[in-house]
Amino acid sequence: MGDCIFCKIISGQIKSQILHQDDTAIAFKDINPQAPTHVLIVPRKHIPCLAASGDGDELLLGHLQHVARDLARTLGVEAAFRLVTNNGRGAGQTVDHLHYHMLGGRRMTWPPG
Ligand code: 5GP
Ligand code: ZN
């Protein structure tokens, strides 16, 4: 946790372009955007990945989706956006602090790579 980039963003040690913050979550622009809109939605609590979340995290997990819902509206991508979490190295996870990518502003393909 001490070396966690997202914990450092949450504490303000590392600067980021914050779009939303509240008591339990923060959302900021991805430093390497994969779409015109690419926001990371992150709980303040250090949970390594979705698979490591606990039963007591149910409200927090639901809250992250509502932050995504509200941001999609604010950012004008409500009609078409993708919300995704990469769980584990094999799925592309590089930062071990739970986060959802919200991507929008371009045509999405399926299946993702
Ligand atoms: P993952 O690969 O774990 O699903 O996603 C991690 C994301 O964090 C990547 O899309 C990467 O670009 C982003 N990222 C890594 N370091 C930083 C940083 O210092 N600031 C911001 N804003 N994004 C970061
Ligand atoms: Zn962390």
Side-chain angles (χ1 to χ4, degrees):
M1 205 189 300
D3 268 353
C4 174
I5 292 172
F6 288 175
C7 280
K8 285 180 179 163
I9 286 176
I10 289 160
S11 71
Q13 270 180 272
I14 294 178
K15 294 283 162 255
S16 67
Q17 287 183 271
I18 295 171
L19 300 178
H20 170 88
Q21 43 186 334
D22 60 44
D23 287 350
T24 50
I26 180 169
F28 51 89
K29 289 189 182 179
D30 196 294
I31 204 169
N32 182 24
Q34 302 301 311
T37 297
H38 187 171
V39 180
L40 299 172
I41 299 156
V42 181
R44 288 186 184 276
K45 180 180 175 185
H46 180 92
I47 301 170
C49 60
L50 184 58
S53 66
D55 292 343
D57 294 321
E58 198 171 343
L59 277 176
L60 182 154
L61 294 172
H63 179 67
L64 297 177
Q65 296 214 36
H66 274 177
V67 171
R69 174 200 62 183
D70 294 345
L71 275 173
R73 220 173 270 159
T74 308
L75 299 172
V77 296
E78 193 181 7
F81 67 92
R82 183 169 291 170
L83 189 65
V84 64
T85 189
N86 299 323
N87 189 107
R89 290 286 174 273
Q93 185 174 10
T94 59
V95 177
D96 292 330
H97 182 133
L98 174 65
H99 53 282
Y100 287 88
H101 298 257
M102 194 177 77
L103 299 141
R106 68 163 166 82
R107 189 91 193 164
M108 299 290 163
T109 58
W110 192 262

